[in-house]
Short mmCIF file of all heavy atoms in Angstrom, two decimals:
data_model
loop_
_atom_site.label_atom_id
_atom_site.label_comp_id
_atom_site.label_asym_id
_atom_site.label_seq_id
_atom_site.Cartn_x
_atom_site.Cartn_y
_atom_site.Cartn_z
N MET A 1 -47.22 98.10 64.98
CA MET A 1 -46.86 99.42 64.53
C MET A 1 -48.04 100.36 64.74
O MET A 1 -49.15 100.09 64.34
CB MET A 1 -46.46 99.38 63.06
CG MET A 1 -46.06 100.70 62.52
SD MET A 1 -45.50 100.46 60.82
CE MET A 1 -45.31 102.13 60.36
N THR A 2 -47.80 101.49 65.36
CA THR A 2 -48.83 102.46 65.64
C THR A 2 -48.85 103.53 64.55
O THR A 2 -47.81 104.05 64.16
CB THR A 2 -48.57 103.14 67.00
OG1 THR A 2 -48.47 102.14 68.00
CG2 THR A 2 -49.67 104.10 67.35
N ILE A 3 -50.05 103.87 64.09
CA ILE A 3 -50.20 104.92 63.09
C ILE A 3 -50.14 106.26 63.82
O ILE A 3 -50.85 106.46 64.81
CB ILE A 3 -51.54 104.77 62.35
CG1 ILE A 3 -51.57 103.45 61.59
CG2 ILE A 3 -51.75 105.94 61.39
CD1 ILE A 3 -52.90 103.13 60.97
N PRO A 4 -49.30 107.20 63.37
CA PRO A 4 -49.20 108.49 64.06
C PRO A 4 -50.51 109.27 63.94
O PRO A 4 -51.24 109.15 62.96
CB PRO A 4 -48.06 109.21 63.34
CG PRO A 4 -47.94 108.53 62.02
CD PRO A 4 -48.43 107.12 62.21
N LEU A 5 -50.78 110.07 64.96
CA LEU A 5 -51.97 110.90 64.94
C LEU A 5 -51.84 111.97 63.87
O LEU A 5 -50.74 112.43 63.58
CB LEU A 5 -52.16 111.56 66.30
CG LEU A 5 -52.48 110.63 67.47
CD1 LEU A 5 -52.49 111.42 68.78
CD2 LEU A 5 -53.81 109.95 67.25
N PRO A 6 -52.97 112.38 63.28
CA PRO A 6 -52.91 113.45 62.28
C PRO A 6 -52.42 114.75 62.92
O PRO A 6 -52.70 115.02 64.08
CB PRO A 6 -54.36 113.60 61.83
CG PRO A 6 -55.07 112.37 62.29
CD PRO A 6 -54.31 111.85 63.46
N ASN A 7 -51.70 115.55 62.14
CA ASN A 7 -51.24 116.84 62.66
C ASN A 7 -52.41 117.81 62.78
O ASN A 7 -53.52 117.53 62.34
CB ASN A 7 -50.09 117.40 61.82
CG ASN A 7 -50.52 117.76 60.41
OD1 ASN A 7 -51.64 118.19 60.17
ND2 ASN A 7 -49.62 117.58 59.46
N GLU A 8 -52.15 118.98 63.35
CA GLU A 8 -53.22 119.94 63.62
C GLU A 8 -53.91 120.43 62.35
O GLU A 8 -55.13 120.63 62.33
CB GLU A 8 -52.68 121.12 64.41
CG GLU A 8 -52.28 120.75 65.82
CD GLU A 8 -51.63 121.91 66.57
OE1 GLU A 8 -51.58 123.03 66.05
OE2 GLU A 8 -51.16 121.66 67.70
N SER A 9 -53.17 120.62 61.29
CA SER A 9 -53.76 121.07 60.03
C SER A 9 -54.70 120.01 59.47
O SER A 9 -55.80 120.33 58.99
CB SER A 9 -52.68 121.38 59.00
OG SER A 9 -51.86 122.44 59.44
N THR A 10 -54.28 118.77 59.51
CA THR A 10 -55.11 117.67 59.03
C THR A 10 -56.38 117.58 59.86
O THR A 10 -57.48 117.40 59.32
CB THR A 10 -54.32 116.35 59.09
OG1 THR A 10 -53.17 116.47 58.26
CG2 THR A 10 -55.16 115.18 58.63
N GLN A 11 -56.25 117.72 61.16
CA GLN A 11 -57.42 117.67 62.05
C GLN A 11 -58.38 118.82 61.74
O GLN A 11 -59.60 118.62 61.67
CB GLN A 11 -56.98 117.73 63.50
CG GLN A 11 -56.24 116.49 63.96
CD GLN A 11 -55.72 116.63 65.38
OE1 GLN A 11 -56.21 117.42 66.17
NE2 GLN A 11 -54.71 115.85 65.71
N ALA A 12 -57.83 120.01 61.54
CA ALA A 12 -58.67 121.18 61.26
C ALA A 12 -59.44 121.01 59.95
O ALA A 12 -60.63 121.31 59.88
CB ALA A 12 -57.82 122.45 61.22
N ILE A 13 -58.77 120.52 58.93
CA ILE A 13 -59.44 120.29 57.64
C ILE A 13 -60.56 119.28 57.80
O ILE A 13 -61.67 119.49 57.29
CB ILE A 13 -58.42 119.83 56.58
CG1 ILE A 13 -57.50 120.98 56.21
CG2 ILE A 13 -59.12 119.27 55.34
CD1 ILE A 13 -56.28 120.58 55.42
N ALA A 14 -60.31 118.21 58.52
CA ALA A 14 -61.33 117.18 58.72
C ALA A 14 -62.52 117.72 59.50
O ALA A 14 -63.68 117.45 59.15
CB ALA A 14 -60.72 115.97 59.43
N VAL A 15 -62.26 118.49 60.55
CA VAL A 15 -63.34 119.04 61.38
C VAL A 15 -64.18 120.03 60.56
O VAL A 15 -65.42 119.98 60.58
CB VAL A 15 -62.78 119.71 62.65
CG1 VAL A 15 -63.83 120.54 63.35
CG2 VAL A 15 -62.22 118.65 63.59
N LEU A 16 -63.53 120.93 59.84
CA LEU A 16 -64.27 121.92 59.05
C LEU A 16 -65.09 121.24 57.95
O LEU A 16 -66.24 121.62 57.70
CB LEU A 16 -63.31 122.94 58.44
CG LEU A 16 -62.65 123.87 59.46
CD1 LEU A 16 -61.56 124.70 58.78
CD2 LEU A 16 -63.67 124.77 60.11
N THR A 17 -64.52 120.24 57.31
CA THR A 17 -65.24 119.52 56.27
C THR A 17 -66.44 118.79 56.86
O THR A 17 -67.55 118.84 56.30
CB THR A 17 -64.31 118.52 55.55
OG1 THR A 17 -63.22 119.24 54.99
CG2 THR A 17 -65.05 117.77 54.46
N ALA A 18 -66.26 118.12 58.00
CA ALA A 18 -67.36 117.40 58.64
C ALA A 18 -68.48 118.37 59.04
O ALA A 18 -69.67 118.05 58.87
CB ALA A 18 -66.86 116.63 59.84
N CYS A 19 -68.12 119.54 59.56
CA CYS A 19 -69.13 120.54 59.93
C CYS A 19 -69.91 121.01 58.71
O CYS A 19 -71.14 121.14 58.75
CB CYS A 19 -68.48 121.72 60.63
SG CYS A 19 -67.92 121.37 62.29
N PHE A 20 -69.21 121.25 57.62
CA PHE A 20 -69.86 121.68 56.39
C PHE A 20 -70.82 120.61 55.89
O PHE A 20 -71.97 120.90 55.54
CB PHE A 20 -68.80 121.99 55.32
CG PHE A 20 -69.38 122.35 53.99
CD1 PHE A 20 -69.88 123.62 53.76
CD2 PHE A 20 -69.43 121.41 52.97
CE1 PHE A 20 -70.43 123.94 52.52
CE2 PHE A 20 -69.98 121.74 51.75
CZ PHE A 20 -70.48 123.00 51.52
N VAL A 21 -70.37 119.37 55.87
CA VAL A 21 -71.21 118.27 55.37
C VAL A 21 -72.43 118.08 56.26
O VAL A 21 -73.55 117.88 55.76
CB VAL A 21 -70.38 116.97 55.25
CG1 VAL A 21 -71.27 115.77 54.95
CG2 VAL A 21 -69.32 117.13 54.17
N LYS A 22 -72.24 118.15 57.57
CA LYS A 22 -73.38 118.00 58.48
C LYS A 22 -74.38 119.14 58.29
O LYS A 22 -75.60 118.92 58.34
CB LYS A 22 -72.90 117.93 59.92
CG LYS A 22 -72.27 116.60 60.26
CD LYS A 22 -71.89 116.52 61.72
CE LYS A 22 -71.35 115.15 62.06
NZ LYS A 22 -71.12 114.97 63.50
N THR A 23 -73.90 120.35 58.04
CA THR A 23 -74.79 121.48 57.80
C THR A 23 -75.57 121.27 56.51
O THR A 23 -76.79 121.50 56.47
CB THR A 23 -73.98 122.79 57.73
OG1 THR A 23 -73.29 122.97 58.98
CG2 THR A 23 -74.88 123.99 57.47
N MET A 24 -74.90 120.81 55.47
CA MET A 24 -75.59 120.53 54.20
C MET A 24 -76.60 119.40 54.40
O MET A 24 -77.67 119.40 53.79
CB MET A 24 -74.59 120.14 53.11
CG MET A 24 -73.66 121.27 52.70
SD MET A 24 -74.52 122.68 51.99
CE MET A 24 -75.11 121.97 50.48
N GLY A 25 -76.27 118.44 55.26
CA GLY A 25 -77.16 117.33 55.55
C GLY A 25 -78.43 117.75 56.26
O GLY A 25 -79.44 117.04 56.19
N GLU A 26 -78.41 118.89 56.92
CA GLU A 26 -79.63 119.40 57.56
C GLU A 26 -80.66 119.81 56.51
O GLU A 26 -81.86 119.72 56.74
CB GLU A 26 -79.30 120.58 58.47
CG GLU A 26 -78.50 120.19 59.70
CD GLU A 26 -78.03 121.38 60.51
OE1 GLU A 26 -78.39 122.54 60.18
OE2 GLU A 26 -77.30 121.15 61.49
N LYS A 27 -80.19 120.29 55.37
CA LYS A 27 -81.08 120.69 54.27
C LYS A 27 -81.47 119.50 53.38
O LYS A 27 -82.56 119.48 52.83
CB LYS A 27 -80.39 121.75 53.39
CG LYS A 27 -79.95 122.98 54.13
CD LYS A 27 -81.12 123.88 54.37
CE LYS A 27 -80.62 125.17 55.01
NZ LYS A 27 -81.68 125.98 55.51
N ASP A 28 -80.57 118.56 53.25
CA ASP A 28 -80.79 117.39 52.39
C ASP A 28 -80.27 116.15 53.12
O ASP A 28 -79.07 115.87 53.09
CB ASP A 28 -80.06 117.57 51.07
CG ASP A 28 -80.21 116.39 50.13
OD1 ASP A 28 -80.95 115.43 50.45
OD2 ASP A 28 -79.58 116.41 49.06
N PRO A 29 -81.16 115.41 53.78
CA PRO A 29 -80.72 114.25 54.58
C PRO A 29 -79.92 113.20 53.80
O PRO A 29 -79.13 112.47 54.38
CB PRO A 29 -82.03 113.67 55.11
CG PRO A 29 -82.99 114.81 55.09
CD PRO A 29 -82.58 115.66 53.90
N ASP A 30 -80.11 113.12 52.50
CA ASP A 30 -79.38 112.13 51.69
C ASP A 30 -77.95 112.58 51.39
O ASP A 30 -77.14 111.79 50.93
CB ASP A 30 -80.11 111.86 50.37
CG ASP A 30 -81.47 111.22 50.59
OD1 ASP A 30 -81.62 110.46 51.58
OD2 ASP A 30 -82.38 111.48 49.77
N PHE A 31 -77.67 113.85 51.62
CA PHE A 31 -76.37 114.41 51.27
C PHE A 31 -75.23 113.72 52.03
O PHE A 31 -74.20 113.39 51.44
CB PHE A 31 -76.34 115.92 51.55
CG PHE A 31 -75.05 116.57 51.18
CD1 PHE A 31 -74.79 116.93 49.87
CD2 PHE A 31 -74.08 116.83 52.14
CE1 PHE A 31 -73.59 117.53 49.51
CE2 PHE A 31 -72.88 117.43 51.79
CZ PHE A 31 -72.64 117.78 50.48
N ILE A 32 -75.41 113.49 53.32
CA ILE A 32 -74.33 112.91 54.13
C ILE A 32 -73.98 111.51 53.64
O ILE A 32 -72.80 111.17 53.48
CB ILE A 32 -74.68 112.90 55.63
CG1 ILE A 32 -74.76 114.35 56.14
CG2 ILE A 32 -73.64 112.12 56.44
CD1 ILE A 32 -75.23 114.47 57.57
N ALA A 33 -74.99 110.69 53.39
CA ALA A 33 -74.73 109.33 52.91
C ALA A 33 -74.03 109.35 51.55
O ALA A 33 -73.07 108.59 51.33
CB ALA A 33 -76.03 108.54 52.83
N ALA A 34 -74.48 110.22 50.66
CA ALA A 34 -73.84 110.32 49.33
C ALA A 34 -72.41 110.81 49.46
O ALA A 34 -71.50 110.29 48.79
CB ALA A 34 -74.65 111.25 48.43
N PHE A 35 -72.19 111.79 50.33
CA PHE A 35 -70.84 112.31 50.54
C PHE A 35 -69.93 111.23 51.08
O PHE A 35 -68.79 111.07 50.63
CB PHE A 35 -70.88 113.51 51.50
CG PHE A 35 -69.53 114.12 51.74
CD1 PHE A 35 -69.06 115.11 50.91
CD2 PHE A 35 -68.72 113.70 52.79
CE1 PHE A 35 -67.80 115.68 51.11
CE2 PHE A 35 -67.48 114.25 53.01
CZ PHE A 35 -67.01 115.24 52.17
N ARG A 36 -70.41 110.47 52.08
CA ARG A 36 -69.58 109.42 52.67
C ARG A 36 -69.26 108.33 51.65
O ARG A 36 -68.14 107.80 51.65
CB ARG A 36 -70.26 108.82 53.90
CG ARG A 36 -70.23 109.80 55.08
CD ARG A 36 -70.67 109.19 56.38
NE ARG A 36 -69.73 108.14 56.75
CZ ARG A 36 -70.11 107.00 57.32
NH1 ARG A 36 -71.36 106.77 57.59
NH2 ARG A 36 -69.21 106.10 57.62
N ASN A 37 -70.21 108.00 50.79
CA ASN A 37 -69.94 107.01 49.74
C ASN A 37 -68.85 107.51 48.79
O ASN A 37 -67.92 106.77 48.46
CB ASN A 37 -71.21 106.69 48.94
CG ASN A 37 -72.16 105.80 49.69
OD1 ASN A 37 -71.77 105.07 50.60
ND2 ASN A 37 -73.42 105.87 49.33
N ASN A 38 -68.96 108.77 48.38
CA ASN A 38 -67.94 109.36 47.50
C ASN A 38 -66.60 109.45 48.21
O ASN A 38 -65.54 109.20 47.60
CB ASN A 38 -68.37 110.74 47.02
CG ASN A 38 -69.49 110.68 46.01
OD1 ASN A 38 -69.60 109.72 45.26
ND2 ASN A 38 -70.33 111.69 45.99
N LEU A 39 -66.62 109.80 49.48
CA LEU A 39 -65.39 109.91 50.25
C LEU A 39 -64.69 108.55 50.36
O LEU A 39 -63.47 108.45 50.19
CB LEU A 39 -65.73 110.44 51.65
CG LEU A 39 -64.58 110.94 52.51
CD1 LEU A 39 -63.92 112.15 51.88
CD2 LEU A 39 -65.10 111.29 53.90
N GLU A 40 -65.47 107.51 50.59
CA GLU A 40 -64.89 106.17 50.69
C GLU A 40 -64.27 105.73 49.36
O GLU A 40 -63.16 105.20 49.33
CB GLU A 40 -65.96 105.16 51.12
CG GLU A 40 -65.41 103.77 51.31
CD GLU A 40 -66.46 102.80 51.81
OE1 GLU A 40 -67.63 103.18 51.99
OE2 GLU A 40 -66.11 101.63 52.03
N GLU A 41 -64.99 105.98 48.27
CA GLU A 41 -64.44 105.64 46.95
C GLU A 41 -63.15 106.39 46.68
O GLU A 41 -62.18 105.82 46.18
CB GLU A 41 -65.47 105.94 45.86
CG GLU A 41 -66.64 104.99 45.84
CD GLU A 41 -67.68 105.39 44.80
OE1 GLU A 41 -67.33 106.11 43.84
OE2 GLU A 41 -68.84 104.98 44.96
N MET A 42 -63.15 107.68 47.02
CA MET A 42 -61.96 108.49 46.79
C MET A 42 -60.80 108.01 47.66
O MET A 42 -59.65 107.98 47.21
CB MET A 42 -62.26 109.96 47.07
CG MET A 42 -61.11 110.89 46.74
SD MET A 42 -60.62 110.85 45.00
CE MET A 42 -62.09 111.47 44.20
N TYR A 43 -61.09 107.63 48.89
CA TYR A 43 -60.05 107.13 49.79
C TYR A 43 -59.33 105.93 49.17
O TYR A 43 -58.11 105.88 49.15
CB TYR A 43 -60.64 106.75 51.15
CG TYR A 43 -59.63 106.11 52.06
CD1 TYR A 43 -58.76 106.90 52.82
CD2 TYR A 43 -59.50 104.74 52.16
CE1 TYR A 43 -57.81 106.33 53.65
CE2 TYR A 43 -58.56 104.16 52.97
CZ TYR A 43 -57.72 104.95 53.72
OH TYR A 43 -56.77 104.37 54.53
N TYR A 44 -60.11 104.97 48.65
CA TYR A 44 -59.50 103.77 48.08
C TYR A 44 -58.72 104.09 46.81
O TYR A 44 -57.66 103.50 46.57
CB TYR A 44 -60.54 102.68 47.85
CG TYR A 44 -61.04 102.12 49.16
CD1 TYR A 44 -62.37 102.22 49.53
CD2 TYR A 44 -60.17 101.51 50.06
CE1 TYR A 44 -62.82 101.74 50.74
CE2 TYR A 44 -60.61 101.02 51.27
CZ TYR A 44 -61.94 101.14 51.60
OH TYR A 44 -62.38 100.65 52.81
N GLN A 45 -59.22 105.03 46.01
CA GLN A 45 -58.46 105.44 44.82
C GLN A 45 -57.15 106.10 45.22
O GLN A 45 -56.10 105.83 44.62
CB GLN A 45 -59.29 106.41 43.97
CG GLN A 45 -60.44 105.77 43.27
CD GLN A 45 -61.28 106.78 42.51
OE1 GLN A 45 -60.88 107.92 42.31
NE2 GLN A 45 -62.46 106.36 42.09
N MET A 46 -57.20 106.96 46.23
CA MET A 46 -56.00 107.65 46.70
C MET A 46 -55.01 106.67 47.32
O MET A 46 -53.81 106.78 47.10
CB MET A 46 -56.38 108.72 47.72
CG MET A 46 -57.14 109.89 47.13
SD MET A 46 -57.85 110.97 48.38
CE MET A 46 -56.41 111.45 49.30
N ARG A 47 -55.53 105.74 48.11
CA ARG A 47 -54.68 104.77 48.78
C ARG A 47 -53.90 103.93 47.77
O ARG A 47 -52.73 103.59 47.98
CB ARG A 47 -55.52 103.87 49.69
CG ARG A 47 -54.69 102.92 50.53
CD ARG A 47 -55.54 101.88 51.18
NE ARG A 47 -56.12 101.05 50.11
CZ ARG A 47 -56.99 100.10 50.31
NH1 ARG A 47 -57.44 99.85 51.52
NH2 ARG A 47 -57.47 99.38 49.32
N ASP A 48 -54.55 103.60 46.67
CA ASP A 48 -53.93 102.77 45.65
C ASP A 48 -52.98 103.56 44.75
O ASP A 48 -52.28 102.98 43.93
CB ASP A 48 -54.99 102.09 44.80
CG ASP A 48 -55.82 101.09 45.60
OD1 ASP A 48 -55.36 100.67 46.68
OD2 ASP A 48 -56.93 100.76 45.15
N ASN A 49 -52.95 104.87 44.90
CA ASN A 49 -52.08 105.73 44.11
C ASN A 49 -51.00 106.29 45.03
O ASN A 49 -51.29 107.05 45.93
CB ASN A 49 -52.92 106.86 43.49
CG ASN A 49 -52.12 107.76 42.59
OD1 ASN A 49 -50.91 107.87 42.71
ND2 ASN A 49 -52.81 108.43 41.70
N SER A 50 -49.78 105.94 44.80
CA SER A 50 -48.69 106.33 45.71
C SER A 50 -48.39 107.82 45.68
O SER A 50 -47.57 108.31 46.45
CB SER A 50 -47.42 105.54 45.36
OG SER A 50 -47.02 105.83 44.03
N TYR A 51 -49.04 108.58 44.82
CA TYR A 51 -48.82 110.02 44.73
C TYR A 51 -49.26 110.76 45.99
O TYR A 51 -48.69 111.76 46.36
CB TYR A 51 -49.55 110.57 43.50
CG TYR A 51 -49.47 112.07 43.37
CD1 TYR A 51 -48.32 112.68 42.88
CD2 TYR A 51 -50.55 112.88 43.73
CE1 TYR A 51 -48.23 114.06 42.76
CE2 TYR A 51 -50.47 114.26 43.60
CZ TYR A 51 -49.31 114.84 43.12
OH TYR A 51 -49.23 116.20 43.00
N PHE A 52 -50.32 110.27 46.65
CA PHE A 52 -50.88 110.97 47.80
C PHE A 52 -50.13 110.63 49.08
O PHE A 52 -49.95 109.46 49.41
CB PHE A 52 -52.37 110.61 47.97
CG PHE A 52 -53.21 111.12 46.84
CD1 PHE A 52 -53.53 110.31 45.77
CD2 PHE A 52 -53.67 112.43 46.84
CE1 PHE A 52 -54.29 110.78 44.72
CE2 PHE A 52 -54.44 112.91 45.79
CZ PHE A 52 -54.75 112.08 44.73
N PRO A 53 -49.72 111.65 49.84
CA PRO A 53 -49.02 111.40 51.11
C PRO A 53 -49.99 110.88 52.18
O PRO A 53 -51.20 111.04 52.08
CB PRO A 53 -48.46 112.77 51.48
CG PRO A 53 -49.31 113.75 50.77
CD PRO A 53 -49.83 113.07 49.54
N SER A 54 -49.43 110.28 53.20
CA SER A 54 -50.25 109.67 54.25
C SER A 54 -51.12 110.69 54.98
O SER A 54 -52.22 110.39 55.42
CB SER A 54 -49.38 108.91 55.25
OG SER A 54 -48.50 109.80 55.91
N GLY A 55 -50.66 111.94 55.09
CA GLY A 55 -51.45 112.98 55.75
C GLY A 55 -52.76 113.25 55.03
O GLY A 55 -53.78 113.53 55.66
N THR A 56 -52.73 113.16 53.72
CA THR A 56 -53.95 113.35 52.94
C THR A 56 -54.93 112.23 53.20
O THR A 56 -56.12 112.46 53.40
CB THR A 56 -53.61 113.43 51.44
OG1 THR A 56 -52.65 114.45 51.23
CG2 THR A 56 -54.84 113.71 50.61
N LEU A 57 -54.43 111.02 53.23
CA LEU A 57 -55.29 109.86 53.54
C LEU A 57 -55.85 109.98 54.95
O LEU A 57 -57.02 109.64 55.18
CB LEU A 57 -54.50 108.56 53.38
CG LEU A 57 -54.12 108.19 51.95
CD1 LEU A 57 -53.17 107.00 51.95
CD2 LEU A 57 -55.36 107.89 51.14
N GLN A 58 -55.05 110.46 55.89
CA GLN A 58 -55.53 110.63 57.25
C GLN A 58 -56.67 111.64 57.30
O GLN A 58 -57.64 111.43 58.03
CB GLN A 58 -54.40 111.11 58.16
CG GLN A 58 -53.42 110.03 58.56
CD GLN A 58 -52.37 110.58 59.50
OE1 GLN A 58 -51.90 111.71 59.35
NE2 GLN A 58 -52.01 109.79 60.49
N ALA A 59 -56.57 112.72 56.55
CA ALA A 59 -57.63 113.73 56.54
C ALA A 59 -58.94 113.15 56.02
O ALA A 59 -60.01 113.40 56.58
CB ALA A 59 -57.21 114.93 55.70
N VAL A 60 -58.86 112.35 54.97
CA VAL A 60 -60.05 111.73 54.41
C VAL A 60 -60.66 110.75 55.41
O VAL A 60 -61.87 110.76 55.66
CB VAL A 60 -59.72 111.03 53.07
CG1 VAL A 60 -60.91 110.23 52.56
CG2 VAL A 60 -59.28 112.06 52.04
N ARG A 61 -59.84 109.92 56.01
CA ARG A 61 -60.33 108.93 56.97
C ARG A 61 -60.90 109.61 58.21
O ARG A 61 -61.96 109.22 58.72
CB ARG A 61 -59.21 107.95 57.35
CG ARG A 61 -59.62 106.84 58.28
CD ARG A 61 -60.79 106.00 57.80
NE ARG A 61 -60.46 105.30 56.59
CZ ARG A 61 -61.38 104.89 55.71
NH1 ARG A 61 -62.64 105.12 55.90
NH2 ARG A 61 -61.02 104.26 54.62
N LEU A 62 -60.24 110.64 58.71
CA LEU A 62 -60.72 111.35 59.89
C LEU A 62 -62.05 112.05 59.60
O LEU A 62 -62.95 112.04 60.44
CB LEU A 62 -59.67 112.35 60.38
CG LEU A 62 -60.01 113.15 61.63
CD1 LEU A 62 -60.34 112.22 62.81
CD2 LEU A 62 -58.86 114.07 62.00
N THR A 63 -62.19 112.63 58.42
CA THR A 63 -63.45 113.26 58.05
C THR A 63 -64.58 112.23 58.09
O THR A 63 -65.66 112.48 58.65
CB THR A 63 -63.37 113.89 56.64
OG1 THR A 63 -62.32 114.87 56.64
CG2 THR A 63 -64.67 114.52 56.23
N ASP A 64 -64.33 111.06 57.53
CA ASP A 64 -65.34 110.00 57.55
C ASP A 64 -65.66 109.59 58.99
O ASP A 64 -66.83 109.42 59.34
CB ASP A 64 -64.87 108.80 56.74
CG ASP A 64 -65.96 107.75 56.59
OD1 ASP A 64 -67.08 108.11 56.16
OD2 ASP A 64 -65.70 106.58 56.91
N ASP A 65 -64.66 109.45 59.81
CA ASP A 65 -64.89 109.09 61.22
C ASP A 65 -65.73 110.13 61.94
O ASP A 65 -66.63 109.77 62.72
CB ASP A 65 -63.56 108.91 61.95
CG ASP A 65 -62.80 107.67 61.54
OD1 ASP A 65 -63.38 106.79 60.87
OD2 ASP A 65 -61.59 107.60 61.86
N LEU A 66 -65.48 111.40 61.68
CA LEU A 66 -66.25 112.45 62.31
C LEU A 66 -67.71 112.47 61.85
O LEU A 66 -68.60 112.85 62.61
CB LEU A 66 -65.61 113.82 62.05
CG LEU A 66 -64.27 114.06 62.75
CD1 LEU A 66 -63.63 115.33 62.22
CD2 LEU A 66 -64.45 114.14 64.25
N LEU A 67 -67.95 112.05 60.63
CA LEU A 67 -69.32 112.02 60.11
C LEU A 67 -70.12 110.84 60.65
O LEU A 67 -71.34 110.84 60.58
CB LEU A 67 -69.31 112.00 58.59
CG LEU A 67 -68.85 113.30 57.94
CD1 LEU A 67 -68.67 113.12 56.44
CD2 LEU A 67 -69.81 114.44 58.24
N LYS A 68 -69.46 109.87 61.21
CA LYS A 68 -70.15 108.71 61.80
C LYS A 68 -70.79 109.07 63.13
O LYS A 68 -71.69 108.38 63.59
CB LYS A 68 -69.17 107.55 62.02
CG LYS A 68 -68.67 106.93 60.74
CD LYS A 68 -67.67 105.84 61.05
CE LYS A 68 -67.03 105.30 59.80
NZ LYS A 68 -65.95 104.35 60.11
N THR A 69 -70.31 110.12 63.77
CA THR A 69 -70.82 110.47 65.10
C THR A 69 -72.05 111.34 65.03
O THR A 69 -72.38 111.93 64.08
CB THR A 69 -69.73 111.22 65.91
OG1 THR A 69 -69.35 112.38 65.21
CG2 THR A 69 -68.55 110.32 66.15
#
């Protein structure tokens, strides 16, 4: 089973968030690592809660993927 690609809005949110975090990381190098740790924790909490739609989870995961580069 293939996971569908995120829609354009989800992609835009992830890109803008990643840009913001990288900019903040230029001022505080520890910021990116702390943000990614919090993002990962939030992802697992959201995943375990059926209230959040898959698009929201995709935005969180895509943001994390963009911060790895």
Side-chain angles (χ1 to χ4, degrees):
M1 180 176 173
T2 304
I3 297 172
L5 294 174
N7 65 34
E8 291 175 6
S9 297
T10 300
Q11 292 175 23
I13 290 167
V15 167
L16 291 171
T17 302
C19 287
F20 176 79
V21 170
K22 285 184 176 187
T23 301
M24 294 298 292
E26 291 173 4
K27 303 282 185 191
D28 178 5
D30 296 329
F31 182 82
I32 294 174
F35 182 88
R36 288 190 64 217
N37 284 337
N38 288 330
L39 194 64
E40 183 177 1
E41 288 177 22
M42 186 60 64
Y43 174 83
Y44 290 118
Q45 289 176 13
M46 291 169 58
R47 186 192 65 185
D48 294 341
N49 183 336
S50 61
Y51 175 78
F52 294 96
S54 63
T56 305
L57 291 171
Q58 283 182 321
V60 172
R61 183 55 63 205
L62 181 56
T63 301
D64 187 52
D65 289 347
L66 291 170
L67 290 172
K68 291 177 187 174
T69 59

